[in-house]
Every structure is written in structure tokens, then in C-alpha cells.
Amino acid sequence: MSDAGIPQRVQRFITTHIDSLEKLEVLLLLRARADREWTASAVSLELRITDASAASRLEDLTNHGMLVSDGATPPSYRYSPASSEDVQAVTELAEVYSVKRVSVISFIFSRPLDKVRGFAEAFILKKDKDGDG
Amino acid sequence: MAEAVYILCALTSLACSVLLFRAYKRTGMRLLLWSGLCFAGLAVSNSLLFVDLVLLPTSIDLYMPRVIATLSSASVLLYGLIWDAS
Amino acid sequence: MLKPMLNGAVSMAWLACALFFLRFWVQSKDRLFAFFALAFTVLAGNSVVASLLDADDERRHYIYVVRLFAFLLILYAIWDKNRAGRRGTG
């Protein structure tokens, strides 16, 4: 469980919005190609994941305020975070991910699986890493 | 003896509160906010109990503030458990 | 009249919280929740007992033992959690 070198803001963003590697890749893809709209099948083709996965990630990211959907059937999505805080966070995230891929991936997988576990983990006094902010 | 116990209870509540708030700051999970507030309230309630027992004369009774602090703590925790514990 | 009602409300609230912790324990198998469930049940009992004893009753002062027990449970739960490390199941 090493998050050495991942800035606090990015950590917080990941913990709040990113629950899987797939979701991270989808988010970064839409951000890198913000010039166009993406449907689930386009994303699934690009990232080589299933249509259903892509659709569900896109839906989640929209609900979290990272993307906007045009509401058509099938819906297209565009990268458009609701707050400038988020824009900043994703920019930093993209940077860190390009430089410290393994750290980011480990961090994503070290998230508490659910809120129940998160409550229990709050009582752990020392973490396995050097300073958590 | 009772005084020492109430101080212990207040300190324990405070410690729990700090741990929970720290985790809330790190993860943003709202359940941690509510439980943090609950234990903070318990710290207040136990401190008031100590004050009531040790420092104040028997003519002054801090029961009302104490029970309100405790009831608020419990309500806040219950609210968090119902709505924010997925 | 108000006092028993408020104490009863507090007791019920702690019991409800204890039930949630009980459920979390069953779901996650994390011992911490079992201790918390127990601790909050004891706190609920503490409220009830406090209500039943009159202000002049000498036994009143021994209520603190009940409260102590609840908080010792919580402290033990935290200690146990840190001892077992991240896994903490059981």
C-alpha cells in the first residue's frame, strides 16, 4: 500500500471518484481526446474493454460530474468536469499516472472496498507509508 | 475513581473523534464525518460529566446539557449509519 | 418526567447504532464491529440504569463502572485492530 509521491489532492480525487483501473483509463481517454464525443462502443473499441464495462464507467463518471452526456440513445459523452477543482485534480492525476503508473495503480487497489471497511480502517493508527499528507 | 473514569472516557472519545476526522480528511467518506462528530459530542458529554461531578456544587446540575450532547451525538451517528453506510 | 424520556431516547439510539455495528460485523467479519456493537449496547444499558436510580441513591456512583466497561471495549477494539494489521478478520 504505497502512495509515496502521490499528491494529497490526487489521492483524495482517486478515493472519491476512481474505484477501478478501467474507470481511470476511461476518464483519461476522454480527457486526452476532449475534442470529440465518445459513445460506449467507441470507448470499448479504443481501450479494448467490453461495451457493458465502458457504458457503466461512462455512466458513473457522468454521475460524479466528470463527463456530460448528450442524453441520446446510445448516449455520447464528453469530458467536462463540473468544478475547476476537479479539472486541476485530473490534470495532476494524468501527470502522476504517466510518471508513477505502478504507485497510482497500487493506490487504487488499496482503497477500502466499501464504507464499512473504511470505517474500520479509520482506527488503524500507523500506515505502511511515509506520511499521508 | 469516578473522576478518573470520566476523564478516560472523554479522552477515549476524543481519540476516536480525531482518528475518524483524520480518515474523513483523507478519504472523504461521510460516514466518518458523522461518527467523528458523534465521538466529539461524547467527549463533550463526558467532560461535562466530569465537571458536574468534580467542579460544580450539587446545586448546579448539568444534566440537561449532558443529555442533549449525548442525544445529539447518538442521533448524528444514527443518521450517518442509516444514510451514509451504503 | 422529561429525564426518563430523554434517557430512554439516548438508550434507544445507542441500541440502534449497536444493531448497525452488529450487521457490519456479520458483513465484514471484522472483530472491531463486534466490540463496537457490544460497547454501544453497554452504553445503552448505562443510560437506562442511570434513569432507574434516584439522584440520592448511593449506588448511583457505581454507574461509572458500566461506562468504563463500554469505553474499555472501544479501546480494546482499537488496540486489537492495530495489532492484527490490515487483515483484522475474525
Side-chain angles (χ1 to χ4, degrees), chain A residues 85-103:
Chain A
E85 262 283 321
D86 286 339
V87 174
Q88 279 269 58
V90 181
T91 309
E92 278 187 46
L93 173 57
E95 264 176 54
V96 176
Y97 189 54
S98 65
V99 177
K100 295 187 172 153
R101 178 162 299 219
V102 175
S103 289

Side-chain angles (χ1 to χ4, degrees), chain A residues 1 114-128, chain C residues 21 23-25 27-28 30 32-33 36 74 78 81-82 85-86:
Chain A
M1 183 154 130
D114 53 34
K115 297 173 187 182
V116 169
R117 218 151 294 199
F119 181 90
E121 288 181 7
F123 292 96
I124 297 175
L125 294 170
K126 287 193 184 43
K127 312 288 172 178
D128 264 342
Chain C
F21 286 122
R23 191 187 90 183
F24 294 162
W25 178 44
Q27 272 179 254
S28 71
D30 193 330
L32 180 126
F33 294 115
F36 268 64
I74 292 177
I78 298 177
K81 183 75 184 165
N82 283 277
R86 282 350 133 246

Side-chain angles (χ1 to χ4, degrees), chain B residues 1-2 5-6 8-10 12-13 16 19 31 38-39 42 45-46 49 53 61 63-64 66-68 70-71 73-75 77-78 81-82 85-86, chain C residues 2-7 9-14 16-18 20-21 23-24 27 36 40 43 47 60-61 63-65 67-68 71-72 74-75 78:
Chain B
M1 186 56 195
V5 169
Y6 295 142
L8 174 73
C9 295
T12 305
S13 306
C16 288
L19 286 174
L31 175 58
C38 168
F39 278 98
L42 274 180
S45 165
N46 279 293
L49 192 47
L53 187 72
D61 180 23
Y63 173 79
M64 267 323 237
R66 277 196 291 116
V67 79
I68 288 177
T70 311
L71 194 52
S73 306
S75 309
L77 179 61
L78 199 50
L81 288 170
I82 292 173
S86 74
Chain C
L2 192 56
K3 181 166 161 170
M5 196 191 80
L6 290 174
N7 277 18
V10 168
S11 182
M12 199 56 213
W14 289 143
C17 293
F20 272 97
F21 286 122
R23 191 187 90 183
F24 294 162
Q27 272 179 254
F36 268 64
F40 279 88
L43 281 178
S47 255
R60 174 166 209 84
H61 297 300
I63 282 184
Y64 71 77
V65 175
R67 193 179 288 245
L68 175 65
F71 279 91
L72 283 179
I74 292 177
L75 281 173
I78 298 177

Side-chain angles (χ1 to χ4, degrees), chain A residues 51-94:
Chain A
D51 251 19
S53 270
S56 124
R57 308 298 177 206
L58 289 164
E59 197 50 54
D60 279 350
L61 286 167
T62 312
N63 290 337
H64 276 240
M66 296 296 135
L67 313 174
V68 288
S69 156
D70 67 352
T73 341
S76 316
Y77 300 86
R78 180 188 283 275
Y79 178 73
S80 179
S83 78
S84 58
E85 262 283 321
D86 286 339
V87 174
Q88 279 269 58
V90 181
T91 309
E92 278 187 46
L93 173 57

Side-chain angles (χ1 to χ4, degrees), chain C residues 34-81:
Chain C
F35 288 120
F36 268 64
L38 204 52
F40 279 88
T41 307
V42 171
L43 281 178
N46 180 60
S47 255
V48 169
V49 170
S51 197
L52 292 176
L53 293 177
D54 302 321
D56 311 324
D57 195 328
E58 276 171 16
R59 290 173 296 174
R60 174 166 209 84
H61 297 300
Y62 294 100
I63 282 184
Y64 71 77
V65 175
V66 183
R67 193 179 288 245
L68 175 65
F69 185 54
F71 279 91
L72 283 179
L73 278 171
I74 292 177
L75 281 173
Y76 181 76
I78 298 177
W79 178 75
D80 177 66
K81 183 75 184 165

